[in-house]
Amino acid sequence: MNIVILLGAPGSGKGTIAGRLASEDANLKHVSSGDLLRGAVAKGTPAGQAAKAAMEAGQLVADEIIAEMIKDVIAETQGDVTMLLDGFPRNVKQAEVLEAINAPIKSAVLVDVPDEIIADRIAGRRTCPKCKAGYHVKALPPKVEGICDKCGTALTIRKDDNPDTVKDRLVVYHRETEPLIKFYEAKGLLRKIDGNQGPEKNAAAFKAAM
Ligand code: ADP
């Protein structure tokens, strides 16, 4: 098992890229910290209850909560698998958790998208609550409006995708997550792609870079 970290702002397309690559290659496993947390919130587990308020406010949940979930997933992933780790680490403390367990990190790929474009992207974002497939009303519309192509479920808008919360999430990104670019650069693990090429080319560029 080895790990490729996806770095990038909220709405930069990390989840779309990882989902697309994982659906094409059985050796790639997409692990999204946001999906793990939303699952815990939906189930009402203790971790979910503790995470809910921070998520709705666009703030980071406590490091320990998400770190435990990610460590569990890493521990149970074995064999010839590359994990596409999306949304973790999100600050230097979380990156140090991966160091402490000697996680086999192959690369950290930054999906680069300017802030001006992010707001539009998130405003049009729709998600399948059942299979987690992601869509965009303009850039990546489902075949039937409002319905998931893969499983036929009605698409939803995430609670934290409203414009005010998005602004807060970008502030958090620049303050907490951006320092990871230097962190992985110093280790010689950083790669960078232009995340503004459309879903298909983004995914191809990512695959080449990772
Ligand atoms: P996006 O990439 O669009 O910001 P995510 O699905 O990755 O969305 O995350 C949604 C929310 O879940 C974040 O705003 C945050 O509250 C929480 N979250 C996800 N990953 C982490 C993490 N590694 N550390 C702390 N909070 C996290």
Side-chain angles (χ1 to χ4, degrees):
M1 199 273 280
N2 60 21
I3 297 175
V4 172
I5 293 169
L6 290 97
L7 289 176
S12 58
K14 303 183 298 291
T16 304
I17 291 170
R20 191 171 271 250
L21 293 178
S23 73
E24 290 166 355
D25 182 342
N27 292 324
L28 297 178
K29 174 175 173 164
H30 178 200
V31 174
S32 155
S33 58
D35 284 348
L36 290 173
L37 288 165
R38 280 184 289 276
V41 171
K43 278 197 200 133
T45 65
Q49 286 172 21
K52 189 165 186 254
M55 291 178 77
E56 285 178 2
Q59 301 298 319
L60 296 185
V61 312
D63 293 327
E64 303 72 42
I65 294 178
I66 184 63
E68 283 311 309
M69 291 181 173
I70 298 291
K71 280 199 275 186
D72 285 349
V73 181
I74 290 176
E76 68 202 18
T77 306
Q78 268 141 28
D80 185 15
V81 175
T82 295
M83 180 183 295
L84 302 176
L85 191 51
D86 162 17
F88 188 99
R90 230 169 175 105
N91 59 28
V92 171
K93 227 174 137 203
Q94 294 179 8
E96 283 164 354
V97 170
L98 294 179
E99 298 298 307
I101 59 167
N102 275 321
I105 300 170
K106 181 168 132 182
S107 57
V109 184
L110 172 65
V111 181
D112 195 27
V113 178
D115 277 11
E116 306 82 80
I117 297 176
I118 294 288
D120 255 11
R121 286 235 189 142
I122 294 188
R125 176 150 80 175
R126 301 291 181 270
T127 318
C128 175
K130 190 166 173 219
C131 78
K132 312 296 174 219
Y135 298 88
H136 187 279
V137 288
K138 286 192 219 121
L140 196 61
K143 292 195 186 96
V144 179
E145 198 186 318
I147 302 293
C148 179
D149 289 349
K150 294 186 182 142
C151 70
T153 305
L155 300 177
T156 53
I157 300 177
R158 266 170 49 183
K159 246 191 193 159
D160 60 346
D161 274 352
N162 67 76
D164 281 344
T165 312
V166 169
K167 267 191 215 132
D168 292 339
R169 283 159 60 201
L170 278 171
V171 170
V172 170
Y173 172 74
H174 290 300
R175 190 184 60 219
E176 302 280 329
T177 312
E178 224 163 43
L180 291 177
I181 296 172
K182 288 228 161 66
F183 183 95
Y184 287 113
E185 199 165 34
K187 294 184 180 293
L189 293 174
L190 187 78
R191 319 276 182 266
K192 185 171 161 180
I193 66 157
D194 171 9
N196 206 15
Q197 318 175 63
E200 203 161 316
K201 285 193 180 156
N202 282 352
F206 188 94
K207 195 163 190 186
M210 70 183 231

